[in-house]
Amino acid sequence: MNETTITAFTFGDPEPVIAGRGLLDYLECARMFKWYETPISLDGLARAVRASVFHASAMLVKRNVLTAAFIPHKILSRSAFERFCWEFIVFGNAYLEKKSNRLGQALTLETPLAKYVRRALDLTRYYFVPAYENEYEFPKGAIFHLLEPDLHQEVYGLPQYLAALNSAFLNESATLFRRRYFNNGSHAGFILYMTDAAHSQGDVDNLRQALKDSKGPGNFRNLFMYAPNGKKDGIQLIPISEVAAKDDFLNIKNATRDDQLAAHRVPPQLMGIIPNNTGGFGDAEKAAAVFWVNEILPLKARFAEVNDWIGEEVVRFNGYELLPPVSAAP
């Protein structure tokens, strides 16, 4: 007598940009031979930028506004400032290298990739380390290091949005699950429960093969089942796709979006997000003015530290402060 067996199908594993573990495992700044390693993976932070559209867009808004307001200088170009600004927002660390002539006068300011810059053990010198067997020591005093202060160490900075990375990864995981769900093809997910003794093993095998063939490009085919002398409820269709489809996808996306915008403190009006309520998000101009005062002005003050280091006004911004202020209530 032939025995029937149960066959199970899986979607396959999602492929996230980066797993949370390994990036968020906070370590001290490890001492290498000549320099300190960063307390968190800068490569992981760089790849995490693309984990969620909200995470990336919120940082790009700040970078674009600051770059548009920046006034290029003869030794600091707009493109160099744009990279300097972008790396500070993403990594919490940004560097400028002063290229000088023989008299010590600054000719230009360049931006070495912050991902590969390491601070020496004496904290006064810097190395460029794209690979451990390929290091370059910058001339002493040639590097300006702008860092976001950290509570645990003073060697490197850390970005402000770290608390929101779990939300960014959850947002990414929800999107990947939905992609796997649709690419899998078994959108009409169900359990076909057969108890009718009138069916032979051949009928069961044929039905199993027909269900397998309905995956992928052949999905949504119609299936016909003839069961002579079958009893009521001998074949039961137990739908499970509704459970999979109602995996709170929209709730997860919205909740994680709000977490990320709260961490970056960017109004949703400036992100192109369509409001779900009829009242909307409010006046976009007022939101832009508040965003300018609360976020852009403090960043401008941080970038102006370059002027104190080099001894002249290299970092300047135009009069975007003329945005209409938020009027007080009468």
Side-chain angles (χ1 to χ4, degrees), residues 199-237:
H199 302 295
S200 66
Q201 180 60 36
D203 295 333
V204 174
D205 293 338
N206 292 335
L207 183 57
R208 179 189 290 117
Q209 187 61 43
L211 292 175
K212 286 183 178 180
D213 294 340
S214 69
K215 294 179 60 178
N219 54 12
F220 298 115
R221 291 191 208 174
N222 295 322
L223 299 177
F224 173 74
M225 181 68 185
Y226 174 61
N229 301 321
K231 299 179 181 179
K232 182 180 180 180
D233 295 332
I235 300 178
Q236 298 184 45
L237 195 67

Side-chain angles (χ1 to χ4, degrees), residues 2-245:
N2 295 328
E3 295 182 358
T4 60
T5 58
I6 297 176
T7 303
F9 306 97
T10 61
F11 285 5
D13 296 328
E15 299 175 1
V17 170
I18 184 172
R21 185 170 179 82
L23 173 60
L24 298 180
D25 284 350
Y26 188 88
L27 299 175
E28 63 180 4
C29 296
R31 292 170 59 98
M32 304 303 291
F33 298 104
K34 300 178 182 179
W35 61 83
Y36 287 105
E37 271 300 316
T38 56
I40 197 169
S41 170
L42 298 187
D43 178 69
L45 288 179
R47 288 188 289 133
V49 169
R50 297 174 176 85
S52 167
V53 62
F54 309 113
H55 178 53
S57 182
M59 293 187 290
L60 286 169
V61 166
K62 296 180 181 180
R63 186 202 70 180
N64 292 343
V65 171
L66 285 164
T67 303
F70 175 72
I71 300 175
H73 191 273
K74 62 181 180 180
I75 66 172
L76 182 61
S77 65
R78 188 183 300 275
S79 60
F81 175 79
E82 183 177 18
R83 174 175 290 279
F84 180 66
C85 176
W86 179 236
E87 292 189 335
F88 179 72
I89 294 173
V90 173
F91 298 126
N93 297 275
Y95 305 89
L96 287 176
E97 181 186 5
K98 180 172 61 175
K99 299 285 189 178
S100 305
N101 58 18
R102 293 181 179 180
L103 300 178
Q105 298 172 331
L107 297 177
T108 182
L109 292 176
E110 299 181 358
T111 53
L113 291 175
K115 179 179 175 181
Y116 303 111
V117 175
R118 297 296 181 265
R119 199 169 183 181
L121 297 181
D122 62 6
L123 302 184
T124 63
R125 294 173 293 116
Y126 292 85
Y127 291 88
F128 187 78
V129 191
Y132 287 107
E133 67 278 3
N134 183 20
E135 66 182 58
Y136 165 75
E137 182 178 357
F138 294 103
K140 190 171 183 178
I143 292 294
F144 172 76
H145 183 188
L146 183 65
L147 60 88
E148 189 71 50
D150 179 35
L151 295 175
H152 300 285
Q153 46 81 34
E154 58 184 8
V155 180
Y156 296 102
L158 287 179
Q160 298 180 359
Y161 59 79
L162 286 182
L165 279 182
N166 280 321
S167 294
F169 294 146
L170 178 58
N171 189 289
E172 178 197 33
S173 297
T175 302
L176 287 173
F177 176 81
R178 273 307 174 96
R179 286 186 59 195
R180 290 285 185 177
Y181 177 74
F182 283 106
N183 291 338
N184 174 262
S186 295
H187 301 152
F190 57 83
I191 297 174
L192 188 62
Y193 183 54
M194 300 181 61
T195 59
D196 202 326
H199 302 295
S200 66
Q201 180 60 36
D203 295 333
V204 174
D205 293 338
N206 292 335
L207 183 57
R208 179 189 290 117
Q209 187 61 43
L211 292 175
K212 286 183 178 180
D213 294 340
S214 69
K215 294 179 60 178
N219 54 12
F220 298 115
R221 291 191 208 174
N222 295 322
L223 299 177
F224 173 74
M225 181 68 185
Y226 174 61
N229 301 321
K231 299 179 181 179
K232 182 180 180 180
D233 295 332
I235 300 178
Q236 298 184 45
L237 195 67
I238 305 175
I240 60 173
S241 62
E242 288 300 315
V243 178

Side-chain angles (χ1 to χ4, degrees), residues 243-321:
V243 178
K246 295 179 180 179
D247 59 345
D248 284 336
F249 176 74
L250 292 179
N251 291 335
I252 292 174
K253 296 288 287 187
N254 291 335
T256 54
R257 177 199 67 190
D258 294 344
D259 285 348
Q260 293 168 75
L261 295 188
H264 291 290
R265 299 174 300 279
V266 178
Q269 301 97 311
L270 307 183
M271 301 275 291
I273 298 174
I274 300 175
N276 295 326
N277 59 339
T278 56
F281 292 127
D283 191 338
E285 289 188 357
K286 291 182 178 180
V290 172
F291 175 69
W292 179 268
V293 173
N294 290 350
E295 291 298 319
I296 301 303
L297 289 184
L299 284 172
K300 287 173 57 177
R302 292 302 314 276
F303 292 128
E305 295 178 19
V306 177
N307 300 334
D308 300 330
W309 172 71
I310 202 169
E312 62 176 302
E313 193 177 12
V314 172
V315 176
R316 297 177 300 163
F317 299 90
N318 60 25
Y320 276 16
E321 290 87 351

